[in-house]
Amino acid sequence: MPENYDSVKKYLFIGWFLLLYMQASTQPLLSEHAQISLVTCAPSDKAAYTLYGHTAVRVQDRIRLDSATWRDIDCVFNYGIFNFSEPNFIYRFTKGETDYMLAYYAYDEFIVDYQLRGSEVYEQTLNLSYPEKAAIWQALLLNAQPENRVYRYNFFFDNCSTRPAVLLEQHINGTILFEETAASPASFRQMINACTRNHPWLTFGCDLALGMPADRETTFREAFFLPENLKEAFAHARILRPDGSTQPLVSEEQILVEEIPDDDETAHTVFTPLLCSILFFTAILIITLFEWKKKRYFRALDSILYLCAGIAGGVLFFLCFVSVHPCTWPNLAVAWLHPFHLVGVILFAVKKLNEAAYYYHFINFAALLCMCFGWIFIVPYMNMAFIPLVLSFIIRAGYCFIRKLEHIG
């Protein structure tokens, strides 16, 4: 009985596999009238993941019928699908081990979301031969199969925008010649900050998490991680054929969805990171001056300050030393945000450890000065909201030296 049962399971599995294979193979070959285009969706302020735009590949064929719907083929291949409800999604995303997948579905289902959102959708029809269209179509179908569709997502180097570019280059008979514009080179950080310019707190978080590698100038091709950059590159690109002839990569361009201006887009929060950090620094300064005048020491202030810094530093240390994100280390921010501040909390809370707390403040003060030196002479960019926060730590360290000299606390 067990042997027969195992045989039945084996044949059922083989049958199931063949069924999936037959279903994939029933997709028809494209006709010579088919079109393949790059679809670029403009950035939107609706959500954090829409700030950077989106890229997809559209396949149309008015001659052939889709075996699933028995309608003309008009589908979109989307490399930007992710499942937020997957177990440990936030942890995996923070660690840089997020899995995205390729999915394809009807064009009507794809476009309706952007119509409701009011984002511009721009289509660039590619100037391809029939064998190239057929090869790209088959490659897309193969990549969309359950065993192939999942890939390890990387925001800068492997995302919904870079994948279509690589796919097209692999299946074009010739070489794509990109016209590198004379625009000023930009870094990864500058490009990201341009996308998040209406969201200062998101910019603050990105500037804190990204390290020095994000400040180097990107190459022309590395800039393709943003869909708008890929669209501009395709608009001016040409295909160099094996016989030496060239032709434009894009044969036709059109706007599929017009942009609808958002009335709330110009509304900015009053309490920006810079304003909040200045208010925070002002409060620390006033309290410290009050302590000095009254010859007192508020242990709770340092304990709460360094507790918050220690927790934030733990997250930053995780990004720098545990995650596999390529642009998080080295990061000068670890000089003022690190989990060792949690040790300082104990030193500040216990009066008998005043001497150890003094040395901790001394080491922290030296680290902060080194970081300020790095900001001035090494790092080309710094978020201005960091300065008042760092000065707050410097003030508390400085007051520790005064307390030791004047025997306060």
Side-chain angles (χ1 to χ4, degrees):
M1 182 65 179
E3 293 182 0
N4 293 335
Y5 179 70
D6 290 340
S7 299
V8 170
K9 286 205 309 182
K10 180 177 69 174
Y11 290 125
L12 285 176
F13 176 79
I14 294 175
W16 174 78
F17 179 82
L18 291 176
L19 182 62
L20 289 178
Y21 177 81
M22 292 174 60
Q23 182 178 1
S25 62
T26 55
Q27 289 293 350
L29 295 175
L30 296 180
S31 72
E32 295 184 359
H33 300 282
Q35 292 183 343
I36 296 181
S37 56
L38 188 76
V39 177
T40 303
C41 308
S44 168
D45 285 333
K46 298 296 183 182
Y49 65 88
T50 66
L51 295 175
Y52 310 99
H54 187 54
T55 298
V57 178
R58 182 184 182 187
V59 180
Q60 303 175 74
D61 194 340
R62 303 303 181 188
I63 305 300
R64 301 290 190 239
L65 297 180
D66 190 322
S67 61
T69 63
W70 294 104
R71 297 170 54 190
D72 299 345
I73 294 177
D74 191 357
C75 58
V76 171
F77 289 81
N78 184 355
Y79 281 95
I81 303 299
F82 65 92
N83 185 3
F84 189 79
S85 62
E86 284 186 355
N88 304 316
F89 179 86
I90 298 298
Y91 171 79
R92 291 172 61 85
F93 181 84
T94 306
K95 192 177 179 182
E97 295 181 348
T98 310
D99 289 332
Y100 275 46
M101 68 178 66
L102 168 65
Y104 73 100
Y105 40 90
Y107 165 77
D108 293 340
E109 298 178 13
F110 172 82
I111 205 67
V112 67
D113 183 46
Y114 296 94
Q115 291 172 333
L116 296 174
R117 188 183 302 171
S119 298
E120 180 186 270
V121 179
Y122 198 84
E123 182 179 38
Q124 295 170 297
T125 303
L126 303 178
N127 193 13
L128 305 175
S129 65
Y130 173 68
E132 290 169 337
K133 297 175 187 176
I136 292 173
W137 168 247
Q138 292 301 319
L140 287 169
L141 289 177
L142 179 62
N143 290 342
Q145 294 304 305
E147 65 273 16
N148 303 324
R149 63 184 180 181
V150 177
Y151 70 98
R152 181 56 49 87
Y153 174 85
N154 184 284
F155 181 76
F156 290 126
F157 303 112
D158 196 355
N159 64 11
C160 69
S161 183
T162 62
R163 288 236 158 189
V166 172
L167 177 75
L168 294 175
E169 287 185 310
Q170 290 175 342
H171 296 89
I172 283 182
N173 182 27
T175 304
I176 300 180
L177 302 178
F178 292 105
E179 180 181 325
E180 299 192 21
T181 61
S184 300
S187 65
F188 288 112
R189 191 189 303 274
Q190 288 172 327
M191 294 182 188
I192 291 176
N193 288 355
C195 296
T196 61
R197 60 189 179 276
N198 294 330
H199 300 265
W201 282 104
L202 183 57
T203 302
F204 176 86
C206 291
D207 284 340
L208 189 62
L210 293 176
M212 293 170 61
D215 293 307
R216 71 169 177 84
E217 295 178 354
T218 62
T219 65
F220 181 77
R221 292 187 60 87
E222 285 175 339
F224 290 177
F225 81 96
L226 288 181
E228 289 292 320
N229 294 340
L230 182 65
K231 182 187 76 172
E232 290 301 319
F234 270 42
H236 302 94
R238 300 185 67 84
I239 303 176
L240 175 63
R241 296 301 185 184
D243 61 2
S245 63
T246 62
Q247 64 185 71
L249 175 61
V250 176
S251 61
E252 183 182 355
E253 298 178 311
Q254 64 173 329
I255 297 177
L256 300 175
V257 177
E258 296 281 353
E259 180 183 5
I260 300 177
D262 190 348
D263 295 336
D264 297 332
E265 188 172 322
T266 58
H268 298 284
T269 177
V270 175
F271 292 99
T272 64
L274 180 58
L275 177 60
C276 290
S277 63
I278 291 175
L279 293 175
F280 180 81
F281 166 74
T282 302
I284 294 294
L285 179 61
I286 292 174
I287 295 174
T288 304
L289 291 174
F290 179 82
E291 287 178 295
W292 187 21
K293 183 178 180 179
K294 298 295 184 180
K295 306 301 181 182
R296 300 180 60 184
Y297 173 47
F298 298 151
R299 296 182 181 277
L301 177 61
D302 276 350
S303 297
I304 295 174
L305 176 63
Y306 283 84
L307 175 63
C308 295
I311 294 174
V315 176
L316 189 60
F317 255 52
F318 181 88
L319 290 173
C320 291
F321 302 111
V322 179
S323 79
V324 294
H325 288 292
C327 294
T328 57
W329 177 256
N331 188 344
L332 288 181
V334 298
W336 66 285
L337 285 180
H338 51 75
F340 299 109
H341 285 321
L342 298 177
V343 177
V345 173
I346 301 175
L347 301 180
F348 306 141
V350 180
K351 188 174 183 179
K352 292 182 179 180
L353 300 177
N354 277 356
E355 190 68 18
Y358 167 78
Y359 287 110
Y360 184 89
H361 271 303
F362 179 81
I363 295 173
N364 190 45
F365 185 80
L368 293 176
L369 290 183
C370 292
M371 183 188 63
C372 292
F373 177 86
W375 273 348
I376 296 173
F377 297 102
I378 301 177
V379 179
Y381 169 84
M382 175 187 60
N383 192 304
M384 297 302 294
F386 294 168
I387 297 177
L389 298 177
V390 172
L391 289 177
S392 300
F393 286 93
I394 292 177
I395 286 176
R396 296 309 295 174
Y399 182 58
C400 177
F401 305 150
I402 295 176
R403 287 192 297 109
K404 185 173 180 61
L405 292 175
E406 299 184 2
H407 305 285
I408 300 175

